[in-house]
Coordinates of all heavy atoms in Angstrom, one line a residue:
A1 N 68.8 185.3 -89.0 CA 68.2 184.0 -89.1 C 66.8 184.2 -89.4 O 66.1 185.1 -89.0 CB 68.4 183.2 -87.9
G2 N 66.2 183.2 -90.2 CA 64.8 183.2 -90.5 C 64.2 181.8 -90.3 O 64.9 180.8 -90.4
I3 N 62.9 181.8 -90.1 CA 62.2 180.5 -89.9 C 60.8 180.6 -90.5 O 60.1 181.6 -90.2 CB 62.2 180.1 -88.4 CG1 61.6 178.7 -88.2 CG2 61.4 181.2 -87.5 CD1 61.8 178.1 -86.9
R4 N 60.5 179.7 -91.3 CA 59.2 179.7 -92.0 C 58.2 178.9 -91.1 O 58.5 178.3 -90.1 CB 59.3 179.0 -93.3 CG 60.2 179.8 -94.3 CD 60.2 179.3 -95.7 NE 61.1 180.0 -96.6 CZ 60.9 181.1 -97.2 NH1 59.7 181.7 -97.0 NH2 61.8 181.7 -97.9
S5 N 56.9 179.0 -91.5 CA 55.8 178.4 -90.8 C 56.1 176.9 -90.6 O 55.7 176.3 -89.5 CB 54.5 178.7 -91.4 OG 54.5 178.2 -92.8
G6 N 56.6 176.3 -91.6 CA 56.9 174.8 -91.5 C 58.1 174.4 -90.7 O 58.4 173.3 -90.5
G7 N 58.9 175.5 -90.3 CA 60.1 175.2 -89.5 C 61.4 175.3 -90.2 O 62.4 175.1 -89.6
N8 N 61.3 175.4 -91.6 CA 62.6 175.6 -92.3 C 63.3 176.8 -91.9 O 62.7 177.9 -91.6 CB 62.3 175.7 -93.8 CG 61.8 174.3 -94.4 OD1 62.1 173.3 -93.8 ND2 61.2 174.4 -95.5
T9 N 64.6 176.7 -91.7 CA 65.4 177.8 -91.2 C 66.5 178.2 -92.2 O 66.9 177.4 -93.1 CB 66.1 177.5 -89.9 OG1 66.9 176.3 -90.1 CG2 65.0 177.2 -88.8
N10 N 67.0 179.4 -92.1 CA 68.2 179.9 -92.8 C 68.9 180.8 -92.0 O 68.4 181.5 -91.1 CB 67.8 180.5 -94.2 CG 66.9 181.7 -94.0 OD1 65.7 181.7 -93.7 ND2 67.5 182.9 -94.2
Y11 N 70.2 180.9 -92.2 CA 71.1 181.7 -91.3 C 72.1 182.5 -92.2 O 72.5 182.0 -93.3 CB 71.9 180.8 -90.4 CG 71.1 180.0 -89.4 CD1 70.6 178.7 -89.7 CD2 70.8 180.5 -88.2 CE1 69.8 178.0 -88.8 CE2 70.0 179.8 -87.3 CZ 69.5 178.6 -87.6 OH 68.8 177.9 -86.7
A12 N 72.6 183.6 -91.6 CA 73.7 184.3 -92.2 C 74.9 183.4 -92.0 O 75.1 182.8 -91.0 CB 73.9 185.6 -91.6
D13 N 75.8 183.5 -93.0 CA 77.1 182.7 -92.9 C 77.8 183.0 -91.6 O 78.4 182.1 -91.0 CB 78.0 183.0 -94.1 CG 77.4 182.4 -95.4 OD1 76.5 181.5 -95.3 OD2 77.9 182.8 -96.5
S14 N 77.8 184.2 -91.2 CA 78.6 184.7 -90.0 C 78.1 184.0 -88.7 O 78.8 184.1 -87.7 CB 78.6 186.2 -89.9 OG 77.2 186.7 -89.8
V15 N 76.9 183.5 -88.7 CA 76.3 182.9 -87.4 C 76.1 181.4 -87.5 O 75.7 180.8 -86.5 CB 75.1 183.7 -87.0 CG1 75.3 185.2 -86.9 CG2 73.9 183.3 -87.9
K16 N 76.3 180.8 -88.7 CA 76.0 179.4 -88.8 C 76.8 178.6 -87.9 O 78.0 178.9 -87.7 CB 76.3 179.0 -90.3 CG 75.2 179.3 -91.3 CD 75.6 178.8 -92.7 CE 74.5 179.2 -93.7 NZ 74.9 178.8 -95.1
G17 N 76.2 177.7 -87.2 CA 76.9 176.8 -86.2 C 76.9 177.4 -84.8 O 77.3 176.7 -83.9
R18 N 76.6 178.7 -84.7 CA 76.6 179.4 -83.4 C 75.2 179.8 -82.9 O 75.0 179.8 -81.7 CB 77.5 180.6 -83.5 CG 79.0 180.3 -83.9 CD 79.8 181.6 -83.7 NE 79.4 182.7 -84.6 CZ 79.1 183.9 -84.1 NH1 79.1 184.1 -82.8 NH2 78.8 184.8 -85.0
F19 N 74.4 180.2 -83.9 CA 73.0 180.7 -83.5 C 72.0 179.6 -84.0 O 72.2 179.0 -85.0 CB 72.8 182.0 -84.2 CG 73.5 183.2 -83.7 CD1 74.6 183.0 -82.9 CD2 73.2 184.4 -84.1 CE1 75.3 184.1 -82.4 CE2 73.9 185.6 -83.7 CZ 75.0 185.4 -82.8
T20 N 70.9 179.6 -83.2 CA 69.8 178.7 -83.6 C 68.5 179.4 -83.4 O 68.2 180.0 -82.3 CB 69.8 177.4 -82.7 OG1 71.0 176.7 -82.8 CG2 68.6 176.5 -83.1
I21 N 67.7 179.5 -84.4 CA 66.4 180.1 -84.4 C 65.3 179.0 -84.2 O 65.4 177.9 -84.8 CB 66.1 180.9 -85.6 CG1 64.8 181.8 -85.5 CG2 66.0 180.1 -86.9 CD1 64.6 182.8 -86.6
S22 N 64.3 179.3 -83.4 CA 63.2 178.3 -83.2 C 61.9 179.1 -82.9 O 62.0 180.3 -82.7 CB 63.6 177.4 -82.0 OG 63.7 178.2 -80.8
R23 N 60.8 178.4 -83.0 CA 59.5 179.0 -82.8 C 58.7 178.1 -82.0 O 58.8 176.8 -82.1 CB 58.9 179.4 -84.1 CG 58.5 178.3 -85.0 CD 58.1 178.8 -86.4 NE 56.9 179.7 -86.3 CZ 56.6 180.6 -87.3 NH1 57.4 180.7 -88.3 NH2 55.5 181.3 -87.2
D24 N 57.8 178.7 -81.2 CA 56.8 177.9 -80.5 C 55.4 178.5 -80.8 O 55.0 179.6 -80.3 CB 57.0 178.0 -78.9 CG 56.1 177.2 -78.1 OD1 55.0 176.9 -78.6 OD2 56.5 176.9 -77.0
N25 N 54.7 177.8 -81.7 CA 53.5 178.4 -82.2 C 52.4 178.4 -81.2 O 51.5 179.2 -81.2 CB 53.0 177.6 -83.4 CG 53.9 177.8 -84.7 OD1 54.6 178.9 -84.8 ND2 53.9 176.9 -85.6
A26 N 52.5 177.5 -80.2 CA 51.5 177.5 -79.1 C 51.6 178.8 -78.2 O 50.6 179.2 -77.6 CB 51.7 176.3 -78.3
K27 N 52.9 179.3 -78.1 CA 53.1 180.5 -77.3 C 53.3 181.7 -78.1 O 53.5 182.8 -77.5 CB 54.3 180.2 -76.4 CG 54.2 179.1 -75.4 CD 55.4 178.9 -74.6 CE 55.2 177.8 -73.6 NZ 56.4 177.6 -72.7
N28 N 53.2 181.6 -79.4 CA 53.4 182.8 -80.3 C 54.8 183.5 -80.0 O 54.9 184.7 -79.9 CB 52.3 183.9 -80.1 CG 51.0 183.6 -80.9 OD1 50.8 182.4 -81.3 ND2 50.2 184.5 -81.1
T29 N 55.8 182.6 -79.9 CA 57.1 183.2 -79.7 C 58.1 182.6 -80.7 O 58.0 181.5 -81.2 CB 57.6 182.9 -78.3 OG1 57.6 181.4 -78.1 CG2 56.8 183.5 -77.2
V30 N 59.1 183.4 -81.0 CA 60.3 183.0 -81.8 C 61.5 183.3 -81.0 O 61.6 184.4 -80.4 CB 60.3 183.6 -83.2 CG1 60.3 185.1 -83.1 CG2 61.4 183.0 -84.0
S31 N 62.5 182.4 -80.9 CA 63.7 182.6 -80.1 C 64.9 182.5 -80.9 O 64.9 181.9 -82.0 CB 63.7 181.6 -79.0 OG 62.6 181.7 -78.1
L32 N 66.0 183.2 -80.4 CA 67.3 183.1 -81.1 C 68.3 182.7 -80.0 O 68.6 183.5 -79.1 CB 67.7 184.4 -81.7 CG 69.0 184.4 -82.5 CD1 68.8 183.5 -83.8 CD2 69.4 185.8 -82.9
Q33 N 68.8 181.5 -80.0 CA 69.8 181.1 -79.1 C 71.2 181.4 -79.7 O 71.5 181.0 -80.8 CB 69.8 179.6 -78.8 CG 70.8 179.0 -77.9 CD 70.7 179.6 -76.5 OE1 69.6 179.7 -76.0 NE2 71.9 179.9 -75.9
M34 N 72.0 182.2 -79.0 CA 73.2 182.7 -79.5 C 74.4 182.2 -78.6 O 74.4 182.5 -77.4 CB 73.3 184.2 -79.6 CG 72.1 184.8 -80.3 SD 72.2 186.6 -80.5 CE 72.0 187.1 -78.8

């Protein structure tokens, strides 16, 4: 999964609907909920 600075995301077909990528710019973190 990928996430751009503006929040746009993309996923591999194999994980779509199951995984979610997100970012918190205030905390300098990016997460992957699986």
Side-chain angles (χ1 to χ4, degrees):
I3 185 165
R4 298 188 182 276
S5 58
N8 289 340
T9 59
N10 61 287
Y11 296 92
D13 288 343
S14 59
V15 307
K16 282 181 182 177
R18 300 189 298 123
F19 290 12
T20 303
I21 189 171
S22 61
R23 66 190 298 159
D24 185 335
N25 291 336
K27 296 182 179 179
N28 278 19
T29 59
V30 60
S31 299
L32 185 68
Q33 178 66 42
M34 305 186 294

